[in-house]
Amino acid sequence: MLALGVDTSNYATSLAVVDTTKREVVCSLKEFLPVKEGELGLRQNDAIFHHTIAIPALFKEVESNLPLHGVNCVAASNRPRPVEGSYMPCFLAGVSAAAAFAAGRGLTLHTTSHQQGHLAAALFGAGLPNTETFLFFHVSGGTTELLLVKGYEIVGKLGGSTDLHAGQAVDRLGVRLGLPFPAGEALSLLAASCTEEVAPKISVKGIDCSFSGLENKCEQLLQQGHSAAYVAKYCLVAVADTVAAMALEARRQHPGVPVLLAGGVMASDVVRPRLAARLGKVHFAPPQLSADNAVGVALVGAKEESHG
């Protein structure tokens, strides 16, 4: 089965085609939404505008890799998370484009949440079965949650941030340092250049955490004259140590359940090794499937199509 996935998050326009028979990503394309220097994201009407501009060009690029008439399953993300009241207008752009494509070929449009797309992509990228139970950390600019999942389905939320998301703390610091938004990749590169040791304080209670103090601490460190690289490292190590503390408590409460981590923040080359050192055996999605992408959306659609 060739499944087409469309994801229009508040960060990027993404299209992907997955061959589920061969378990192969045929193509995965992404274009970040343009954000003016110094700004933290876009208003929803601006995001929809940029998605509308980007989608036709990405479809044309997909066609150059694979004739789209071979696609026999279409899926799109239609909301951030699979919970009541979860809604962002930017997802309407992707749903509209995918619905038109599906209707033109007599196919059924399957919809899922952006978060379930992250989950499916993480399972696929880590080579894990989509039928077993996992402790799933989704750590990004819009979400910092620890979820109990079974396959592509979210059984329940176990914990998460009570204020800022980890990605918000990362992006706010990045923009403060003059880095482009979203700032995760650039901040990680900057942090990797720091050879000094950092020992951040974290705020974790059980499986819940707080990042507002981290934002304030980073600003304080800058005011004290610490280098940008040092503060970047401090921020990312703090995020890693926070997630590690939450994971250790989650393992205590759910012994034997494996841990899977994904989301844009989990793509950091600073965060991942720190977590692996603290936690031992954990599962990461590859960086390209950890941040926003449409691969997981295509996979969820293919599963629904095969069970249709």
Side-chain angles (χ1 to χ4, degrees), residues 50-61:
H50 290 298
H51 282 312
T52 303
I53 296 297
I55 287 172
L58 289 182
F59 264 104
K60 187 175 181 179
E61 190 173 348

Side-chain angles (χ1 to χ4, degrees), residues 109-294:
L109 173 65
H110 301 281
T111 57
T112 187
S113 70
H114 177 73
Q115 187 171 67
Q116 286 167 289
H118 268 290
L119 170 60
L123 289 169
F124 179 85
L128 299 172
N130 62 12
T131 55
E132 295 184 8
T133 299
F134 294 90
L135 295 167
F136 176 56
F137 278 93
H138 181 195
V139 187
S140 67
T143 307
T144 297
E145 291 186 332
L146 171 57
L147 307 167
L148 186 66
V149 304
K150 186 172 184 180
Y152 297 161
E153 297 302 317
I154 295 171
V155 178
K157 178 181 175 181
L158 302 179
S161 176
T162 58
D163 43 45
L164 284 182
H165 299 305
Q168 286 179 304
V170 168
D171 287 332
R172 290 182 184 187
L173 175 59
V175 171
R176 167 73 171 80
L177 296 176
L179 303 176
F181 179 94
E185 183 176 356
L187 195 75
S188 189
L189 287 171
L190 180 62
S193 70
C194 176
T195 58
E196 296 179 72
E197 291 296 319
V198 298
K201 293 183 179 180
I202 61 173
S203 177
V204 177
K205 185 176 182 180
I207 316 181
D208 288 319
C209 67
S210 168
F211 287 112
S212 59
L214 174 60
E215 181 185 22
N216 295 333
K217 180 63 176 180
C218 288
E219 179 61 32
Q220 182 183 58
L221 290 171
L222 289 172
Q223 295 295 331
Q224 291 173 349
H226 288 277
S227 70
Y230 177 91
V231 180
K233 183 176 181 179
Y234 185 98
C235 178
L236 291 175
V237 169
V239 169
D241 288 356
T242 297
V243 173
M246 295 166 68
L248 289 170
E249 175 60 20
R251 278 177 168 173
R252 188 189 68 78
Q253 295 183 21
H254 300 269
V257 180
V259 176
L260 172 66
L261 303 107
V265 179
M266 294 295 102
S268 167
D269 289 336
V270 174
V271 172
R272 293 159 72 92
R274 181 86 173 186
L275 278 168
R278 293 284 305 277
L279 297 175
K281 186 177 180 181
V282 292
H283 302 282
F284 292 100
Q288 66 272 22
L289 294 180
S290 191
D292 286 4
N293 66 88

